[in-house]
Amino acid sequence: MISIDLKERAKKLKYDIPAIFIALKKKETPLGAKLMAAVTVGYALSPVDLIPDFIPVLGYLDDLILLPAMAALTIKLIPEDIMSKCRLEAADMWKDGKPKKWYYAIPIALIWLLIIFLIIRTLMK
């Protein structure tokens, strides 16, 4: 069934994005893979989408197609042994479907604070 496949892919993506982030920090990861990992993780954490979610149907296409495609390309660029270690570390980060540590939310909070700051600064001019 398609819905089951999508759920499995979404669950896999939930673990692959943190694994990609961990691979980004490893010295053994090749430079090209690090660059693609930075773009993928940045896009995954970004509150701004290529196509805004409020646009009917098209708004969710980037979440359904673009992010998984970027993750798949990044994973292909990372050597298998490094990626398998990173997946183990990423799996250890989760407990009952939630991050074990609250501070994993800090990058997202910082992005939102930066956006709010820029909006306020623009309005004050």
Side-chain angles (χ1 to χ4, degrees):
M1 252 186 148
I2 293 174
S3 63
I4 294 173
D5 187 40
L6 285 177
K7 286 181 185 179
E8 288 300 317
R9 291 166 96 186
K11 186 176 181 181
K12 187 174 185 294
L13 192 61
K14 182 171 111 174
Y15 291 99
D16 280 346
I17 296 297
I20 290 169
F21 177 71
I22 292 167
L24 174 63
K25 299 187 302 182
K26 295 219 178 268
K27 288 190 304 185
E28 307 86 33
T29 304
L31 181 61
K34 283 186 177 195
L35 292 174
M36 191 63 199
V39 169
T40 301
V41 170
Y43 189 77
L45 295 177
S46 173
V48 180
D49 288 342
L50 186 62
I51 304 169
D53 289 341
F54 65 82
I55 298 175
V57 182
L58 294 177
Y60 291 104
L61 282 181
D62 63 339
D63 296 330
L64 292 173
I65 296 170
L66 188 59
L67 186 57
M70 290 170 65
L73 176 60
T74 304
I75 290 167
K76 287 196 182 295
L77 294 173
I78 298 170
E80 185 69 34
D81 60 325
I82 296 171
M83 192 62 198
S84 61
K85 290 176 189 174
C86 294
R87 280 188 173 129
L88 287 174
E89 288 180 47
D92 191 43
M93 293 169 53
W94 295 90
K95 181 180 181 180
D96 300 327
K98 297 178 184 174
K100 283 184 180 178
K101 300 188 170 119
W102 63 269
Y103 52 81
Y104 292 134
I106 290 174
I108 296 170
L110 289 175
I111 290 170
W112 278 108
L113 288 173
L114 176 65
I115 289 171
I116 292 168
F117 170 76
L118 292 174
I119 290 171
I120 291 172
R121 194 174 108 197
T122 303
L123 292 175
M124 295 294 192
K125 287 185 180 184

